Amino acid sequence: MINSLTSVARPLIRGLEFIAPLAELGIRLWAAKFFWDSALTKVSLGGGFPFIHMNPSTIMLFTYEYQVPILAPEVAAYLGTATEFVFPVLLAFGLGGRLAAAVLFVFNIVAVISYPGLEEAGIVQHQLYGTLLLLPLLRGPGKISIDHFIRRKWLV
């Protein structure tokens, strides 16, 4: 009985272990896209240098809607947007994957706390992305990442 169970379980476990890196990559990309898309809504492209401009509506939202503690609204708008542009890229490539996941995890919490008008669907969405970020935060970005390549090439 046990031999027949292990003969069925072993190939199944090997198959799951084979696709696990793809799942880890998919989770990183899904979470990164959420924050990247949010950043894109805060800026407009075009015009003269520097080609990316903060939308006036973003500054207005940070002034009147979001209640970011400690920071001035304009500073919070620029820092928040920069965070949503930089750290999702790092997370997607798995470069400093745990750091990127940690920053976005805390950023996600601050976003929920700072926006008292967030409705139930928005809270559920932030809970989902916070949960997804726990995987790279706690386990690392996985085998399909720059971190893994660096670790294998120079640290082991």
Side-chain angles (χ1 to χ4, degrees), residues 70-87:
I70 302 170
L71 299 175
E74 191 165 314
V75 172
Y78 279 97
L79 283 177
T81 303
T83 298
E84 288 179 324
F85 270 123
V86 172
F87 289 97

Side-chain angles (χ1 to χ4, degrees), residues 27-42 84 88 91 104 107-109 111-112 118 121-130 132-133:
I27 287 169
R28 286 195 341 258
L29 292 175
W30 189 11
K33 185 181 182 325
F34 169 73
F35 291 99
W36 179 263
D37 288 349
S38 178
L40 290 176
T41 66
K42 294 177 174 70
E84 288 179 324
L91 181 66
L104 292 172
F107 184 82
N108 189 46
I109 292 169
V112 171
L118 190 62
I123 291 171
V124 169
Q125 188 177 30
H126 281 275
Q127 289 171 339
L128 169 65
Y129 291 109
L132 290 176
L133 287 167

Side-chain angles (χ1 to χ4, degrees), residues 7 19 26 40 45 54 58 62 64 73-75 100 103 113 115 117 123 126 132 139 144 153:
S7 67
I19 64 169
L40 290 176
L45 304 173
M54 184 72 67
T58 301
F62 275 84
Y64 298 109
E74 191 165 314
V75 172
V103 168
I113 292 170
Y115 188 38
I123 291 171
H126 281 275
L132 290 176
R139 305 239 341 143
I144 305 174
K153 183 82 171 167

Side-chain angles (χ1 to χ4, degrees), residues 39-57:
L40 290 176
T41 66
K42 294 177 174 70
V43 297
S44 56
L45 304 173
F49 184 79
F51 307 112
I52 298 176
H53 305 280
M54 184 72 67
N55 288 334
S57 61

